Amino acid sequence: MQAKHIRNFSIIAHIDHGKSTIADRILEMTGAVEPRQMQAQYLDSMDIERERGITIKSQAVRLNYRAKDGNDYVLHLIDTPGHVDFGYEVSRSLAACEGAILVVDAAQGVEAQTLANVYLALDANLTLVPVINKIDLPAARPEEVCEEIEEGIGIDTREVVLCSAKNGIGIQDILEAVVKTIPPPEGDPDAPLRAMVFDSQYDAYRGVLVQVRVIDGKIKKGDRVYFMESQCEQDVLEIRVRTPKEVIVDELNFGETGVLICGIKLVRDVQVGETITHAKRRATEKLKGFKKVQQMVYSGIFPVESNEYEKLRDAIEKLGLNDSAFSFEPETSSALGFGFRCGFLGLLHMEVFQQRLEREYDCELITTAPSVIYQVHKMDGTMMSLSNPGELPSTGDIDCIKEPIVRATIHTPSEYIGAISKLCNDRRGMQKDMRYLSANRVVLEYEMPLAEIVFDFFDKLKTATRGYASLDYEFKEFRKDDLVKLDILLHNEIVDALSVIVHRDKAYDKGKALVHRLQKVIPRQMFDVAIQAAVGARIISRETVKALRKDVTAKCYGGDISRKRKLLEKQKEGKRRMKNVGNVEVPQEAFLAVLSTDED
Amino acid sequence: MNPAIRHVYIHFPYCLHRCGYCDFATTVARVIPRERYLQHILTELEMRAASQQFAPLETVFFGGGTPSLWGPAAIAAVLDWLNRRAGFAENPEITLEANPGALESGDLAAYATAGITRVSVGIQALHDARLRALDRLHDAAAARQTLAQLGDLLATGRLRSANADLIFGVPGQTLLDLRTDVAGILDYGLSHLSAYSLTVESGTPLAAQVKRGLVARPDDDLQATMLDALPGLLAPYGLARYEVSNYARPGHPSRHNLAYWTGRYYLAVGVGAHGFLPEPGAVGLRYGNSRKHERWMAALAERQLCEDLRESIDADQHHDERLLTGLRLAAGLDLAALARDLGDDRRAALELRARPGVERGDLWCNDGHLGVVPRALGRLDSLIAELA
C-alpha cells in the first residue's frame, strides 16, 4: 500500500458523545465486522469498558475503504482511552495519527473533555474533522454547537459532518471527510527505523503485545530491534495487524500501525511513548513526547481475610501485567495487616482496577481512602514522597509539607458560575481565568489542591450544576501549605488506615464529620467504643458507640433449629468480613468513610 | 446418639385470627377441617414412623396455630395412635397449646381427660390496650377466665403443669406494667411462664407497620432491662429461669422443649412442622414440612410427604446447633454430652474458644457445663457467634 492511500486517525469526544457508536458504525460500513457479529462498543473488549461506557486500552484497527474517488484506502482507526485519568495514553495514541474525528454531541455541545482532547490533538498537529453526532435528538441544536466549535475551539466548521451514529446517518460522509481532509502519513522510508509504542497489552500465551506506529523506515519479522528508552534489544518474533480479527503480516512500512510480539514478559518493560529502532542501524534521535507515567492517587488494598494475602498478590501482579500505569508495593497496616499500597493515574483508574480485582480475580478487598502524594521536607534537609498518610513523620521532624496542585478546567453553562465558585472556594481553589465560549457557556480555570479533587469533587460539581458542568485537570506543581495529619482513634488506639492529611483550617470540621460517620457504621459492641479525631495529641472530636445491651433471640422457633443455625451462619459471615482493630470490630465500609463526610 | 425416638411434635396450624407479630405456620380458617386434618396427621405419622425406631414416648407436644380448636376427640385419636405404635413412658408430658379466645368453658377439662397433662396458653398480656396493640383476639377478662380454669385444673391435679406465654417490651410498656402482668398471671398458681420480648419478624404485618412508622420499634434497651428484671419478679412465685425466655417451678420445665435444646431426635408432623430424625452417615436429618396449608393437605391426600426443607446435619452443623440451644439454658451446655455425641476434640476446642469469654466474665465453665452468666444473657447471640 502506498503511503498516500493510508490514513491514521482517532476519534476524540467527551464521554457519552458517541465515540464508540461511531467506531462501531465505521467497522460495519467498511465490512470489517459482519453485522451479525456486531456488538455494541466492539473495540472495548473489557466488560468494565462496556459497562461503564469508557475505553481504557487503546486499539488500532486496520480497515479497507473504497472512497468515492475510486481509490482503495487503508484506514487505521486508533481507538483512544476516553478519560482524563488516561491523558498521557491519549496523547501517545494521538501522536500515532495524522488526524482525528472530533465528535461533539448535538445537544450537549462542547464540554471540558472535548476541549482537553482537542488541545492534545492540536499539540500533536492533527487535522480535525468536526462531526456533530445525535442530530436526530429532539434537543439537538447543531447550529449553536457549530458556533461553540468555531468560537471555543477555533476550527472551521464549514465542512462539519452531521451524523447520527445510532441510526447510521452520515457515516459515509465521515469516511469521505477522513480521506479528503486528513493528510497521508509522512515519513522517510529509507531512514533508520523509528516506531512509536502507543500502548501494550499482556497476553498469557504470547507475552506483551506492543502496539506501534512506524514513523520512519520499515520493520520486518525477525528484525533485531532496540528500545531506546529502556535501552534493551529484542527480536521481533511476529507482526500482526487487527482488522479487527488478527492477521499475521511480514512487515510494517512507515505510516502503518500494527502489533509486535517480541517475547517481552512484562507490560512495565514496554513504556508507552517508547521509540523502537533497529539494533544494528540505530536512529540517532528518539521520537518526541515521551513521559514517564506519573501516578496521582494512592490507596491501600488489603484482603478482607489475612490468609488471602497471597491470592491478592497474585491477582494484583497478574492485573498489573496489563497495566503499565499502575504501581504497587507491599504495605503493612497495624489495623488491616498485610496489603499493598497502589498507585493510580486517577480515581477512575483506581475504581476500575479494584473492580477488576474483585470480579475477575474474585478477591474480597478492603480499600483505604485514596490519598495524593505529598512532598514532606524534613528538618534535616531531606525530602520524602509520601503516599500513605499513616507514615507521616512526627511533627517535630517536619519542616513543611507540599501538596500537588492541579490546574482544573471546568466548562459550564454560565448560570452555575456562582455555585461552582462557592464549591471551588470551599475546596481551596483559586480562580485563574474565566472565559465565555458563547453567550451562555463559560470556561473556568482554577488552581486547586489535587487532594480536594480526588475525593468527591466531581460528584459535587455535577450536583451543583445539575450535571451540566464538566471537569478536566492536569498537574501543575507541588506547593507548600499548612497541612496536618488527622488521626482517628478507636477505643484509644490510632487506626493508621484511617489517617488523612488535611489543611489545618479544615481539620476540625473534617474530624467531626468523620467521627460522626464512623459512629454510624461501627456496630455496637460488647463495650462502649470511643471514636475520636485527633491532630497530634489534641483530641478535636469524640463520639461513643454505646455498648450492645440486647442481642438475643427471644424464641427458639419451636423445633426449627435449622432457621436459627442459618441466622448464626449469617452472623458469622458478617463477623468474618469485619476487621478487628484493637478489639473493636470494624466493618469494611468504615475504611471508606473518609470519602464522604460532608453531607452529614 | 441413641436413635430411638421419644418425642413427638404435632402441628395444628389453624387460628381464628392471625396476630400482627406472628410468623409461625398458621392458617386463618372460618371453617376448620378438623376431621380431614386429623386423617392427614395420622397418615403422615404412619408414613414417617414406618422407618423409625421408638422408645416409650416421654413427651408429645400439640403446637400451633391454636390446637385447642381441634377438639378433645382429635387429640385423643392422635394419642391413641401413638400409644399403639410407641407407647408412653411413665408420667409423659403431653402439652397442648391454647388461646384464651379459643376455648369454651369446660374444654380444658375435656382435654385433660383426653390425655393432656400440660397446657400452654397464649395470655401475652393482662392489659386490654396492650392486647389490642399486640393485635390479640382476646381481652384481659377472657385471659383471666382461662387462667382461673387452669388454676383449678392444677389445684385438683387434673393437669400436672401449666404455662402462660407473656410478651414484654411492647412500646409504651413500663417495668411496673410488666410486674402487674406477671403477678396477675402467677396469682393463679401456674407452674411455668414463657416470657418473650416482642420481636419484629420480617414479613409480618407488624414489620410493615414499623417500617411505615405507624408503630414504634420495640426499644432494645428497655427490653434488656426487662429481661434482667424478670428473674427477680418471678422468684417470689417459686419460678426460676431455666432458659433465656422460660421460667418454671422445680420439676416443671418443659421436657419437650428441653429435648429440642439438648439435641434429641424428635418426630414432627403437620403443616410447617420441623423434625429431627436419625440418619445413617450423618448426625441426623432435619426436615421441615411446607408451611403452605393447601399444599400439605393436597400432598397428604395423595399419601405424599410435603417438605420445604430436608438437610443432612453433619458434625460441624450439629456442633453449632448444640451451642445455639445449649447456651440458652441456665444449666449451660452439657460438655460431656457434646463430647459423647461429637467427640472429645470438639469439646476441647470449644473450651479453648470459650476461654476469652470466661476471662471476660461473660461465660462460666464448671462441672462439665459451659454457660452464659445471667447478666450477659441479653448479648447471647453475639457470644454464641464468638464461639461458633
Side-chain angles (χ1 to χ4, degrees):
Chain A
M1 176 60 59
Q2 285 179 302
K4 67 173 183 180
H5 290 143
I6 296 176
R7 296 291 181 273
N8 293 308
F9 67 99
S10 68
I11 307 176
I12 58 181
H14 187 75
I15 199 158
D16 284 343
H17 280 198
K19 187 180 81 164
S20 294
T21 320
I22 288 184
D24 288 349
R25 290 295 96 79
I26 289 177
L27 294 184
E28 276 178 3
M29 170 140 273
T30 57
V33 179
E34 302 269 333
R36 64 185 166 81
Q37 294 170 327
M38 194 66 207
Q39 53 174 327
Q41 283 183 260
Y42 191 92
L43 294 176
D44 294 336
S45 48
M46 277 189 262
D47 283 347
I48 291 180
E49 290 185 317
R50 289 223 174 82
E51 230 166 74
R52 301 179 75 133
I54 50 172
T55 305
I56 297 164
K57 299 299 282 185
S58 296
Q59 287 256 35
V61 193
R62 177 179 289 200
L63 308 165
N64 296 309
Y65 175 65
R66 175 163 293 172
K68 285 182 180 163
D69 65 12
N71 291 315
D72 286 324
Y73 288 85
V74 165
L75 309 181
H76 291 123
L77 165 59
I78 299 171
D79 192 26
T80 59
H83 189 274
V84 54
D85 282 5
F86 305 103
Y88 174 65
E89 276 81 350
V90 179
S91 81
R92 291 308 86 202
S93 298
L94 295 180
C97 305
E98 279 73 41
I101 299 173
L102 169 66
V103 183
V104 182
D105 184 302
Q108 305 281 326
V110 174
E111 307 237 24
Q113 232 179 62
T114 320
L115 265 213
N117 288 334
V118 163
Y119 291 137
L120 284 171
L122 295 177
D123 278 351
N125 276 323
L126 299 195
T127 304
L128 294 180
V129 175
V131 170
I132 296 181
N133 189 22
K134 309 192 192 179
I135 49 156
D136 51 351
L137 281 185
R141 44 184 187 91
E143 292 80 16
E144 282 172 59
V145 172
C146 268
E147 191 185 318
E148 283 176 19
I149 294 174
E150 293 228 355
E151 288 178 12
I153 306 178
I155 48 178
D156 191 348
T157 54
R158 272 175 301 182
E159 307 253 333
V160 72
V161 181
L162 300 179
C163 83
S164 164
K166 195 171 152 221
N167 296 311
I169 301 165
I171 302 301
Q172 192 170 15
D173 298 342
I174 296 175
L175 292 177
E176 285 299 317
V178 163
V179 166
K180 215 166 82 191
T181 325
I182 296 176
E186 284 174 17
D188 185 346
D190 303 318
L193 168 69
R194 286 202 299 173
M196 185 195 59
V197 177
F198 62 87
D199 202 358
S200 57
Q201 280 115 29
Y202 179 76
D203 178 290
Y205 301 103
R206 297 174 292 176
V208 178
L209 311 179
V210 187
Q211 298 240 30
V212 296
R213 153 78 197 266
V214 181
I215 307 291
D216 291 319
K218 78 158 75 159
I219 187 165
K220 291 199 301 293
K221 183 185 168 182
D223 282 355
R224 183 136 185 100
V225 291
Y226 177 68
F227 287 69
M228 296 178 80
E229 296 293 344
S230 319
Q231 302 184 351
C232 66
E233 292 187 10
Q234 300 285 352
D235 290 315
V236 177
L237 306 175
E238 199 172 280
I239 304 177
R240 289 168 177 255
V241 294
R242 293 180 175 145
T243 67
K245 211 175 69 199
E246 286 195 0
V247 177
I248 297 178
V249 296
D250 290 332
E251 57 178 38
L252 293 175
N253 283 303
F254 86 91
E256 293 187 312
T257 69
V259 176
L260 306 183
I261 296 162
C262 305
I264 302 170
K265 297 278 186 309
L266 293 172
V267 167
R268 225 164 294 137
D269 293 340
V270 184
Q271 306 179 70
V272 170
E274 167 78 87
T275 306
I276 300 177
T277 187
H278 278 126
K280 290 265 167 58
R281 189 175 168 231
R282 293 187 184 182
T284 47
E285 267 183 62
K286 294 177 198 170
L287 294 162
K288 287 195 193 74
F290 174 79
K291 267 198 276 182
K292 253 194 129 51
V293 275
Q294 182 67 55
Q295 284 87 25
M296 299 277 252
V297 178
Y298 290 79
S299 156
I301 297 185
F302 295 84
V304 168
E305 284 188 273
S306 47
N307 59 11
E308 299 222 316
Y309 174 79
E310 294 293 326
K311 179 181 167 189
L312 177 61
R313 192 184 60 196
D314 282 357
I316 285 182
E317 276 176 358
K318 281 201 189 110
L319 201 47
L321 283 178
N322 208 0
D323 192 340
S324 55
F326 163 80
S327 72
F328 72 100
E329 58 183 47
E331 175 183 0
T332 315
S333 152
S334 55
L336 298 174
F338 294 107
F340 301 92
R341 174 109 322 223
C342 303
F344 303 95
L345 296 174
L347 275 198
L348 178 83
H349 184 207
M350 181 179 104
E351 278 170 29
V352 167
F353 194 89
Q354 287 168 356
Q355 271 187 12
R356 292 186 66 190
L357 277 179
E358 284 173 344
R359 279 204 223 160
E360 293 169 32
Y361 294 90
D362 195 27
C363 292
E364 282 189 278
L365 310 176
I366 291 183
T367 53
T368 62
S371 166
V372 299
I373 201 151
Y374 292 93
Q375 287 185 347
V376 181
H377 293 261
K378 294 204 271 191
M379 287 300 188
D380 62 10
T382 59
M383 189 274 281
M384 67 183 278
S385 283
L386 185 88
S387 65
N388 181 356
E391 289 171 359
L392 190 73
S394 62
T395 345
D397 294 337
I398 300 172
D399 177 30
C400 70
I401 305 175
K402 290 184 177 174
E403 63 177 336
I405 302 292
V406 296
R407 194 173 180 89
T409 308
I410 299 166
H411 274 241
T412 178
S414 48
E415 59 193 288
Y416 301 115
I417 292 174
I420 294 172
S421 299
K422 184 177 178 307
L423 179 64
C424 291
N425 287 339
D426 287 348
R427 300 296 178 109
R428 297 190 284 138
M430 279 197 318
Q431 193 178 319
K432 288 291 168 188
D433 195 11
M434 180 164 95
R435 291 191 311 275
Y436 276 83
L437 282 186
S438 61
N440 52 14
R441 287 187 73 84
V442 180
V443 189
L444 298 165
E445 290 204 353
Y446 275 86
E447 282 182 12
M448 286 175 80
L450 178 62
E452 298 283 350
I453 287 189
V454 291
F455 290 129
D456 54 354
F457 179 75
F458 190 51
D459 294 337
K460 292 273 179 271
L461 180 69
K462 286 281 182 194
T463 310
T465 63
R466 292 170 51 217
Y468 279 104
S470 54
L471 166 75
D472 237 316
Y473 60 84
E474 58 175 359
F475 173 76
K476 187 170 188 315
E477 63 186 1
F478 278 93
R479 196 180 287 169
K480 181 176 151 180
D481 212 331
D482 190 7
L483 302 170
V484 293
K485 181 162 75 122
L486 177 68
D487 289 319
I488 297 295
L489 293 83
L490 284 185
H491 211 50
N492 298 318
E493 269 187 51
I494 290 186
V495 183
D496 56 358
L498 287 174
S499 295
V500 284
I501 291 175
V502 295
H503 193 271
R504 188 180 297 278
D505 294 349
K506 294 189 145 190
Y508 177 76
D509 286 344
K510 180 98 183 166
K512 201 174 154 191
L514 194 46
V515 161
H516 186 67
R517 189 166 165 81
L518 284 170
Q519 196 227 6
K520 285 187 182 164
V521 295
I522 292 177
R524 292 171 81 173
Q525 324 249 327
M526 299 279 180
F527 42 85
D528 282 2
V529 176
I531 306 171
Q532 297 163 304
V535 172
R538 200 163 61 91
I539 304 292
I540 55 175
S541 182
R542 178 197 163 107
E543 295 209 32
T544 307
V545 177
K546 297 294 283 176
L548 181 69
R549 274 207 64 202
K550 180 178 167 285
D551 178 26
V552 56
T553 310
K555 256 197 182 164
C556 217
Y557 305 114
D560 186 359
I561 309 289
S562 298
R563 172 167 166 188
K564 267 201 74 72
R565 205 188 61 243
K566 274 161 199 159
L567 288 176
L568 176 68
E569 276 158 16
K570 232 165 116 180
Q571 200 179 354
K572 278 201 289 187
E573 171 65 18
K575 249 183 146 57
R576 194 178 67 77
R577 296 179 65 90
M578 298 233 207
K579 279 281 169 181
N580 208 307
V581 181
N583 271 331
V584 180
E585 294 191 333
V586 184
Q588 273 169 293
E589 62 259 40
F591 296 97
L592 284 173
V594 198
L595 274 173
S596 50
T597 50
D598 30 11
E599 58 264 46
D600 294 309
Chain B
M1 294 199 285
N2 189 334
I5 290 167
R6 296 158 199 272
H7 311 279
V8 175
Y9 177 78
I10 317 283
H11 193 79
F12 183 85
Y14 304 99
C15 275
L16 294 177
H17 159 80
R18 187 183 183 101
C19 309
Y21 57 85
C22 175
D23 77 331
F24 283 82
T26 61
T27 305
V28 177
R30 231 174 310 156
V31 181
I32 296 170
R34 292 183 174 82
E35 183 54 30
R36 195 146 53 92
Y37 195 75
L38 173 63
Q39 291 316 314
H40 291 338
I41 285 291
L42 295 177
T43 303
E44 188 176 4
L45 276 171
E46 260 169 45
M47 293 176 69
R48 292 206 182 267
S51 53
Q52 301 301 331
Q53 178 195 339
F54 287 92
L57 297 180
E58 297 192 12
T59 70
V60 177
F61 198 105
F62 292 92
T66 310
S68 58
L69 294 172
W70 207 355
I75 299 292
V78 173
L79 292 177
D80 278 350
W81 190 95
L82 290 171
N83 192 30
R84 281 199 305 276
R85 179 67 177 79
F88 287 102
E90 216 173 310
N91 288 325
E93 176 193 280
I94 299 172
T95 305
L96 176 77
E97 285 189 334
N99 274 322
L103 279 166
E104 302 291 321
S105 134
D107 264 2
L108 285 177
Y111 281 115
T113 306
I116 295 297
T117 69
R118 183 176 182 270
V119 169
S120 171
V121 59
I123 299 294
Q124 317 308 1
L126 281 181
H127 183 273
D128 284 342
R130 204 163 338 106
L131 283 167
R132 277 197 302 276
L134 287 170
D135 190 25
R136 294 292 295 190
L137 213 50
H138 65 273
D139 59 11
R144 286 178 194 283
Q145 208 180 341
T146 304
L147 286 167
Q149 284 176 38
L150 280 180
D152 234 28
L153 291 168
L154 285 171
T156 55
R158 279 178 287 173
L159 282 180
R160 191 177 173 274
S161 295
N163 167 61
D165 281 351
L166 172 72
I167 291 179
F168 68 87
V170 180
Q173 189 187 18
T174 64
L175 267 176
L176 185 65
D177 292 337
L178 178 66
R179 207 170 78 186
T180 310
D181 273 358
V182 166
I185 291 169
L186 293 180
D187 277 346
Y188 291 97
L190 268 59
S191 55
H192 192 287
L193 186 83
S194 296
Y196 301 113
S197 57
L198 178 62
T199 307
V200 182
E201 299 285 358
S202 59
T204 59
L206 177 63
Q209 287 172 324
V210 168
K211 197 172 170 196
R212 301 216 316 267
L214 299 175
V215 173
R217 177 177 291 281
D219 177 51
D220 278 358
D221 286 338
L222 177 68
Q223 291 196 341
T225 304
M226 289 182 169
L227 190 68
D228 288 345
L230 274 162
L233 296 179
L234 290 163
Y237 298 91
L239 273 68
R241 172 184 274 154
Y242 69 98
E243 196 261 2
V244 174
S245 306
N246 286 281
Y247 305 81
R249 286 205 196 125
H252 289 273
S254 161
R255 285 153 61 195
H256 186 84
N257 283 332
L258 281 170
Y260 291 161
W261 299 333
T262 52
R264 308 292 171 79
Y265 295 121
Y266 50 96
L267 182 75
V269 293
V271 174
H274 284 257
F276 183 45
L277 296 173
E279 187 175 58
V283 177
L285 168 80
R286 289 205 184 270
Y287 65 89
N289 281 344
S290 171
R291 288 167 65 101
K292 296 210 168 71
H293 165 255
E294 296 81 7
R295 277 190 53 205
W296 182 88
M297 292 289 266
L300 265 295
E302 304 280 320
R303 296 186 66 83
Q304 299 285 325
L305 295 178
C306 185
E307 292 175 353
D308 269 355
L309 170 97
R310 193 175 184 84
E311 201 176 16
S312 282
I313 301 299
D314 64 21
D316 284 343
Q317 292 169 318
H318 190 61
H319 175 262
D320 284 359
E321 293 176 347
R322 293 290 272 268
L323 280 180
L324 278 170
T325 53
L327 289 174
R328 294 176 65 88
L329 301 177
L333 172 68
D334 184 343
L335 294 170
L338 183 81
R340 186 190 64 224
D341 294 339
L342 295 174
D344 286 330
D345 290 355
R346 283 186 193 270
R347 174 185 177 158
L350 177 60
E351 283 177 313
L352 197 66
R353 269 203 307 286
R355 208 171 282 165
V358 173
E359 279 164 13
R360 214 169 46 224
D362 288 335
L363 305 174
W364 55 263
C365 187
N366 53 41
D367 280 347
H369 285 72
L370 174 68
V372 175
V373 303
R375 61 158 187 76
L377 271 186
R379 294 181 274 115
L380 187 65
D381 290 1
S382 316
L383 291 170
I384 292 172
E386 256 180 34
L387 295 173

